[in-house]
Structure formats: structure tokens, C-alpha cells
């Protein structure tokens, strides 16, 4: 991460959350706290993984950062040059592509919305598709792609708008293990090439360690930050080495305290 | 609607509209299989009609086919099968185009603007159950027998357009309008919120979301509405043409032939009405398969 930080002049964090809280009204009408007192700062160029059990409010936090829902309390501060709806891309787990568009048109969507000429955006989209290993699938529709290929295309779609911040909500949750390993490696390569900032939500400890420069462990009811880990293991990270497994056990302990 | 291919058929092998594929021999067998019951039915009909020997009640199929083989023959100065069919079809296409032009935008608007929907929906719900033909007396009083050319200041053009009465158009419009509106509305309401959010995070404005998300996402339902609407328009025109005050159209010819005990012509007209309806439906289904091949395959 320091190597990425060096290339940006601003020292201020890209994203800063102070005391973010969010309540939902349950079906019976009582207010349920989904998030409580979230403090989090993400530096430029960091790869942060947000780790927590299902239903602990991780997605809600991403939605707040993406501007989809507003927080009930607390402050959210994005860097001055970062604007929601322009510089923050969001990769979902499901329904990540428009089914009526071809793969190429899906990747070009963001550029089309900002009025980039047709030929230029198609060129950019084709380059990105090649970069994520989908050359030759430009004219396929999403339903003709496999699950892993769809997530590749979704990543290309997000990268097309050259986001300052990339939010990812369990993007590899629905693909098989070997495909997931390929996608993880591809994402790391892309992150290193493009020096972007990524906030990646997962419930898988291995995935959090494999990807993250920092791991934010989330606890549930209400959703809160339990502990943060800075990971300085060299990449590519090897799952079977002792530092990895030590960290794994430590994180697992932190996770279990968060559940209680 | 899409036919589901059985597992032994390779996907992508099916052509639009035909579920039969494979070697030519199998294709011929399949065709024979689907035609055989029809032929048997016609043969039984022929034998029964000939034995009954009352063609003004139950005409033999050969006499019906003979009528169908002469579509240009004039009947009682009311035109031929072909000219009357053309008149009906022209009326339907104009009325249908109008109902689509109003129904689709209104449905999209109602689906995306909640307060607008609350205002319009009660009116729609009251008028919708009303049979379109019930509007005919009202339409005739309002529009008299005014025709489309007269609307544009032309008195008598001596063309097929003189047969396009505004009252007829109005009734067809009502027939097509409601299925188009309600299907469009349902389609827009059912658009996944995810697609809207995805578009917003990728920088789409409200107008762009409308154009690039709501409209294409609702397209399968819009086309379903158009298909149902066109079918209903064809239903309605036949009924409207059989009413008093009509003097042309295939429905009128059917009624006129019946009054003259020309049952062979009545049945020939019935064949044509059924055939044209099936063709219209087939056409709309093909368009749909072309335009929304992704339907039902959201992932």
C-alpha cells in the first residue's frame, strides 16, 4: 500500500466515516439498529476487505458509501475530487449486468451515460474486456456467460468509469472455488496496475486475508467494527504458510467475539 | 412465449416460430403429424355435410374452399372477401397504432411516477372491465359516420380510406389500449431495483435511467401487452362490424352473408378471421423473440 500512496499527492484519506449509524424498522414496527458508531478511514490506493458474518450490516455500509441510502447518524466524508455517481463504482453479487445489453454494451454503459462517442467507448470497453480475459465475448449476452465470466464483465463495467473507489459486495460469492481463485488473482493484478482504492466485502476469512492490505472485522447486532488488521504478508499470498494461518486464527477469534 | 427445448436438443438449434428441427425426413413426419387431425376433421365434415344436404345450414367444406379460392369475387355489391378483409385490417392497424402510441407512454409514466399512477388508476380500473363494443353506440353518436379522410378535410377520396370510420377506430383503440397499458405498467413496476442502482452508480441521470433501464427492462411486458392488444383489436373489429350501422369489413360480410343464407361464405369468412388472427399473433411473437431474446434469463 505505501507504494501506491506515494503516487498520490493528497495525504487525506479517500474515505472517512465518523460515527455512522443506521436503523431499520422491522415488520413488527420496532426500530432495529443495523449499524452503530462506525469509524473507518480508507487511504488512497488501499485494498480494504470488510469481513463479517451474513446479515451484520456490511452491505448497508456499502450502500451508504455509494449514496444509495443515507445514514441516520454520523458523517461520511469522501475526498474532494471524489463524487458519488461518477467516481464510485459498485460491483454487486447478483444482477451485475443488464440482461438486454451485450457484454460490450454493458461495459460501455458508464461511458455512454457520460456522452463518450460510440466508437471511443466501444474501443475502451473492448480493451477492458480483453484485460479481464473476455476477448471474443463482446457480443454475448449476460445469460450466455458463466458465473465467473459475468463477474469478470461486471468488474470491467465498473473499471470503465475509472473509479477512484471500487465497492465490491461479495462479488465472488456465487462462483466455484477454482474460478474464485482466478478472479481473486485477476483483481489483485488490476489493483496493482491501476492503483485504485477497493473496499471489498466478504464473509470468507481466507478471501479477506488473500486480498486485503487491511482487514476490517465486522460484528453483528448492531453492525460495528470489532477490530482492524493491517496485513503486510508478501504477495502472492500463500494460504498454507504459518503467518497466514496465524492471522487466520486471530481473525477467527475476533469474528467470534463480534458475534457474541 | 418461448418454447422450452427438450434436453436432447442442442440449444441455439431452434429457429423462431418452429419447434421442429433436425433432418428433413423428421421434419416432414412432424408436419404430417400436425396436419393429419385437421385433414380427418375436414373429411368428416365433408361427408356429414354432403349426407345432410342442407348447404344453407351446414355447407360442405368443398364449397367453403371454393369461396376461399375466389377472394376477389364480389358479393351482393358489398365487396369481395379480400377487399373486406383489407378494410378490417386497415381499421385494426390504425386503431392499434393509436392505442400503442397512447398506452405504452402512459404505462411507463404511471409505472415510474407514483402520484400520477394514483390519479389515473381509478379511472382505468372502472373503464377496463367494460367490453369495448359497448362503446360503439356512444362512438357513433360522437363521431357520426365521419371517416379518416374527412377528419383531414377531404370529403370523398374513393379509396379504401373512406371505409375507415372514426367510431370504429375509437372502439378498436379502446380494445387495444387496456391490455397495452396494464402490461406496460406491470413491466415497469417489476423492474429490478438493482438495475436502477447499477445505472445510477455508473452515472446515469434520471432521464437516462428511464431511457436505458426502465424502457428496455419493461420491453418483454410491453411486447406482451402489444401482442394481447393486437389480438383483442382483431376480436373487437369483427364484433363492431357485425353491429348495426356498419357497411363494410369482413365482420359485416359475414353478417350479410348469414342474412342471405350463404353459409359457405359465412364459414369462409370465419376461416379468414381465424387465419388473419393467427398470422398477427405469429408476427408479434416473432418480433418478440427477436427483440427480447434475453427474456426470462436474468442472471
Amino acid at each position: 500500500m505505501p507504494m501506491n500512496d506515494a503516487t498520490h499527492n493528497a495525504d487525506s484519506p479517500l474515505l472517512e466515516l465518523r460515527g455512522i449509524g443506521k436503523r431499520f424498522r422491522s415488520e413488527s414496527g420496532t426500530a432495529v439498529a443495523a449499524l452503530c458508531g462506525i469509524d473507518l478511514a480508507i487511504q488512497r490506493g488501499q485494498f480494504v476487505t470488510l469481513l463479517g458474518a451474513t446479515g451484520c450490516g456490511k452491505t448497508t455500509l456499502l450502500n451508504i458509501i455509494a449514496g444509495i441510502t443515507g445514514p441516520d447518524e454520523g458523517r461520511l466524508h469522501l475526498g474532494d475530487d471524489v463524487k458519488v455517481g461518477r467516481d464510485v463504482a459498485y460491483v454487486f453479487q447478483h444482477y451485475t449486468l443488464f440482461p438486454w445489453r451485450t457484454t460490450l454494451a454493458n461495459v460501455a454503459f458508464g461511458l455512454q451515460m457520460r456522452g463518450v462517442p460510440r466508437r471511443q467507448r466501444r474501443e475502451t470497453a473492448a480493451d477492458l474486456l480483453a484485460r479481464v480475459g473476455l476477448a471474443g465475448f463482446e457480443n454475448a449476452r449476460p445469460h450466455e456467460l458463466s458465473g465467473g465470466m459475468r463477474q469478470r464483465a461486471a468488474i470491467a463495467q465498473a473499471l470503465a468509469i475509472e473509479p477512484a473507489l471500487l465497492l465490491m459486495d461479495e462479488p465472488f460469492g456465487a462462483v466455484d472455488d477454482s474460478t474464485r481463485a482466478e478472479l481473486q488473482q485477476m483483481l489483485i493484478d488490476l489493483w496493482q496496475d491501476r492503483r485504485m482504492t477497493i473496499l471489498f466485502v466478504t464473509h470468507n476469512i481466507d478471501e479477506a486475508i488473500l486480498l486485503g492490505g487491511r482487514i476490517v472485522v465486522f460484528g453483528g447486532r448492531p453492525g460495528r467494527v470489532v477490530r482492524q488488521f493491517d496485513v503486510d504478508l508478501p504477495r502472492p499470498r500463500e494460504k498454507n504458510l504459518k503467518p497466514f494461518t496465524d492471522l487466520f486464527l486471530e481473525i477467527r477469534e475476533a469474528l467470534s467475539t463480534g458475534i457474541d | 412465449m418461448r418454447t422450452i427445448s427438450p434436453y436432447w436438443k442442442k440449444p441455439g438449434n431452434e429457429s423462431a416460430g418452429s419447434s421442429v428441427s433436425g433432418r428433413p425426413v423428421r421434419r416432414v413426419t412432424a408436419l404430417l403429424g400436425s396436419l393429419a387431425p385437421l385433414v380427418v376433421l375436414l373429411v368428416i365434415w365433408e361427408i356429414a355435410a354432403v349426407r345432410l344436404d342442407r348447404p344453407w345450414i351446414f355447407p360442405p367444406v368443398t364449397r367453403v374452399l371454393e369461396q376461399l379460392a375466389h377472394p376477389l369475387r364480389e358479393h351482393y355489391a358489398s365487396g369481395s372477401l379480400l377487399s373486406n378483409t383489407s378494410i378490417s385490417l386497415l381499421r385494426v392497424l390504425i386503431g392499434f397504432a393509436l392505442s400503442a402510441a397512447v398506452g405504452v407512454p402512459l404505462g411507463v409514466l404511471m409505472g415510474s411516477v407514483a402520484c400520477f399512477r394514483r390519479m389515473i388508476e381509478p379511472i382505468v380500473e372502472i373503464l377496463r372491465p367494460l367490453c369495448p363494443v359497448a362503446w360503439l353506440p356512444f362512438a357513433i353518436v360522437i363521431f357520426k359516420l365521419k371517416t379518416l379522410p374527412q377528419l383531414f378535410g377531404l370529403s370523398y377520396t374513393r379509396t379504401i380510406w373512406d371505409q375507415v370510420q372514426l367510431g370504429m377506430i375509437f372502439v378498436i383503440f379502446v380494445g387495444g389500449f387496456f391490455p397495452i397499458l396494464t402490461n406496460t405498467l406491470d413491466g415497469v413496476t417489476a423492474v429490478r431495483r438493482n438495475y436502477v442502482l447499477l445505472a445510477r452508480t455508473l452515472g446515469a441521470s434520471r432521464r437516462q435511467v428511464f431511457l436505458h433501464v426502465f424502457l428496455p427492462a419493461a420491453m418483454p411486458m410491453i411486447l406482451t401487452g402489444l401482442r394481447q392488444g393486437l389480438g383483442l383489436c382483431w376480436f373487437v373489429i369483427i364484433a363492431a362490424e357485425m353491429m348495426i350501422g356498419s357497411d363494410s369489413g369482413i365482420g359485416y360480410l359475414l353478417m350479410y352473408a348469414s342474412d342471405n343464407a350463404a353459409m359457405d361464405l359465412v364459414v369462409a369468412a370465419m376461416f379468414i378471421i381465424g387465419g388473419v388472427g393467427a398470422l398477427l399473433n405469429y408476427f408479434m411473437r416473432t418480433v418478440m423473440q427477436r427483440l427480447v431474446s434475453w427474456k426470462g434469463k436474468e442472471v
Side-chain angles (χ1 to χ4, degrees):
Chain A
M1 324 148 267
M3 94 185 162
N4 286 320
D5 280 340
T7 63
H8 289 277
N9 44 16
D11 294 334
S12 63
L14 182 85
L15 170 72
E16 209 174 354
L17 305 176
R18 286 246 172 278
I20 293 284
K22 179 80 184 170
R23 283 179 301 274
F24 284 116
R25 206 154 285 282
S26 71
E27 276 175 32
S28 57
T30 51
V32 180
L35 295 173
C36 178
I38 307 284
D39 292 322
L40 192 64
I42 296 178
Q43 305 300 324
R44 285 168 195 276
Q46 252 189 334
F47 196 140
V48 178
T49 49
L50 193 58
L51 177 68
T54 310
C56 72
K58 305 184 300 277
T59 300
T60 308
L61 187 62
L62 278 201
N63 287 347
I64 289 173
I65 295 170
I68 292 169
T69 49
D72 289 326
E73 53 200 45
R75 276 191 314 115
L76 178 149
H77 184 75
L78 281 164
D80 294 334
D81 53 331
V82 182
K83 210 170 147 274
V84 167
R86 193 190 66 194
D87 304 305
V88 180
Y90 198 155
V91 176
F92 303 97
Q93 182 177 359
H94 295 294
Y95 307 111
T96 49
L97 300 167
F98 301 112
W100 53 87
R101 284 182 166 240
T102 63
T103 312
L104 189 73
N106 261 293
V107 176
F109 185 87
L111 298 175
Q112 188 184 351
M113 295 305 110
R114 36 210 71 178
V116 174
R118 183 181 158 85
R119 179 188 293 189
Q120 196 184 329
R121 65 176 190 251
R122 289 178 72 90
E123 233 165 67
T124 311
D127 287 348
L128 274 166
L129 276 179
R131 180 66 188 79
V132 297
L134 284 181
F137 289 93
E138 289 82 1
N139 294 318
R141 307 256 165 191
H143 68 84
E144 294 165 319
L145 302 177
S146 71
M149 289 158 92
R150 284 200 291 272
Q151 292 315 85
R152 286 171 190 270
I155 290 170
Q157 184 186 51
L159 292 182
I161 64 170
E162 298 188 342
L165 175 62
L166 178 58
L167 305 173
M168 306 183 86
D169 188 7
E170 307 205 16
F172 309 147
V175 298
D176 62 75
D177 286 348
S178 62
T179 309
R180 184 182 305 144
E182 282 172 24
L183 288 169
Q184 286 163 346
Q185 190 53 51
M186 185 191 80
L187 186 61
I188 291 168
D189 292 343
L190 284 169
W191 169 67
Q192 286 176 337
D193 284 358
R194 300 185 156 242
R195 302 163 186 252
M196 54 189 165
T197 314
I198 299 180
L199 180 56
F200 186 106
V201 162
T202 178
H203 61 251
N204 182 317
I205 304 177
D206 273 340
E207 188 167 62
I209 305 175
L210 215 51
L211 296 175
R214 187 144 60 91
I215 300 169
V216 178
V217 177
F218 232 61
R221 289 160 218 264
R224 65 201 188 281
V225 177
V226 176
R227 228 182 122 181
Q228 302 197 28
F229 295 86
D230 279 312
V231 188
D232 46 12
L233 301 175
R235 296 177 191 271
R237 290 173 182 164
E238 185 50 62
K239 272 189 206 180
N240 300 321
L241 297 181
K242 190 159 185 312
F244 195 107
T245 48
D246 285 349
L247 187 58
F248 182 96
L249 293 173
E250 209 177 333
I251 290 173
R252 198 168 67 177
E253 201 186 318
L255 259 182
S256 62
T257 58
I259 289 164
D260 295 335
Chain B
M1 307 297 125
R2 220 182 157 76
T3 48
I4 296 164
S5 336
Y7 66 89
W8 61 85
K9 269 165 62 181
K10 282 194 202 114
N13 202 11
E14 70 228 324
S15 55
S18 132
S19 58
V20 184
S21 62
R23 285 167 297 157
V25 182
R26 258 161 110 195
R27 212 177 254 194
V28 170
T29 329
L31 193 66
L32 283 179
S34 50
L35 281 183
L38 184 66
V39 172
V40 170
L41 202 67
L42 293 180
V43 168
I44 294 173
W45 171 3
E46 180 71 13
I47 294 169
V50 168
R51 293 200 54 174
L52 186 69
D53 199 23
R54 295 215 183 4
W56 57 93
I57 294 174
F58 191 49
V61 70
T62 41
R63 288 188 56 173
V64 174
L65 290 177
E66 198 268 339
Q67 287 287 7
L68 286 172
H70 298 91
L72 295 170
R73 185 188 288 160
E74 296 285 321
H75 299 284
Y76 332 106
S78 64
S80 62
L81 280 171
L82 183 70
S83 70
N84 279 298
T85 307
S86 313
I87 289 167
S88 298
L89 208 52
L90 184 65
R91 287 169 176 163
V92 160
L93 292 183
I94 293 172
F96 170 72
L98 271 177
S99 59
V102 179
V104 172
L106 193 65
V108 177
L109 211 60
M110 281 172 72
S112 43
V113 185
C115 74
F116 192 66
R117 178 175 187 167
R118 274 197 299 276
M119 278 159 57
I120 305 293
E121 204 158 32
I123 307 174
V124 170
E125 285 309 311
I126 288 173
L127 296 184
R128 194 161 63 115
L130 195 56
C131 172
V133 182
W135 284 92
L136 194 62
F138 176 76
I140 287 174
V141 171
I142 294 284
F143 297 108
K144 307 288 188 300
L145 286 173
K146 230 180 179 154
T147 63
L148 198 62
Q150 283 169 355
L151 186 68
F152 294 105
L154 305 165
S155 58
Y156 194 64
T157 61
R158 293 176 186 281
T159 59
I160 190 171
W161 296 94
D162 289 335
Q163 302 300 323
V164 182
Q165 290 86 357
L166 296 181
M168 291 275 186
I169 300 300
F170 179 77
V171 173
I172 298 164
F173 167 80
V174 173
F177 177 71
F178 289 104
I180 293 173
L181 177 74
T182 49
N183 276 293
T184 304
L185 183 57
D186 286 350
V188 172
T189 320
V191 171
R192 276 183 198 285
R193 191 163 165 265
N194 235 69
Y195 295 140
V196 179
L197 296 180
L198 184 60
R200 293 306 298 247
T201 58
L202 290 170
S205 65
R206 279 187 76 97
R207 196 184 63 86
Q208 286 175 321
V209 169
F210 190 81
L211 207 63
H212 295 287
V213 179
F214 276 111
L215 210 55
M219 196 47 80
M221 284 299 279
I222 292 176
L223 289 175
T224 301
L226 291 177
R227 189 158 73 102
Q228 286 180 10
L230 187 57
L232 206 59
C233 283
W234 188 244
F235 250 70
V236 167
I237 188 61
I238 304 304
E241 286 169 352
M242 292 165 86
M243 302 277 289
I244 296 167
S246 162
D247 64 353
S248 59
I250 188 73
Y252 166 76
L253 185 64
L254 191 155
M255 222 41 199
Y256 197 95
S258 164
D259 290 345
N260 288 284
M263 264 308 164
D264 52 345
L265 194 55
V266 169
V267 176
M270 287 168 69
F271 265 83
I272 289 178
I273 293 168
V276 170
L279 275 179
L280 289 177
N281 190 42
Y282 174 76
F283 171 74
M284 291 300 284
R285 206 172 59 183
T286 312
V287 169
M288 204 157 145
Q289 278 167 346
R290 283 276 164 84
L291 280 182
V292 290
S293 57
W294 55 273
K295 194 194 163 202
K297 293 174 183 162
E298 292 179 57
V299 278

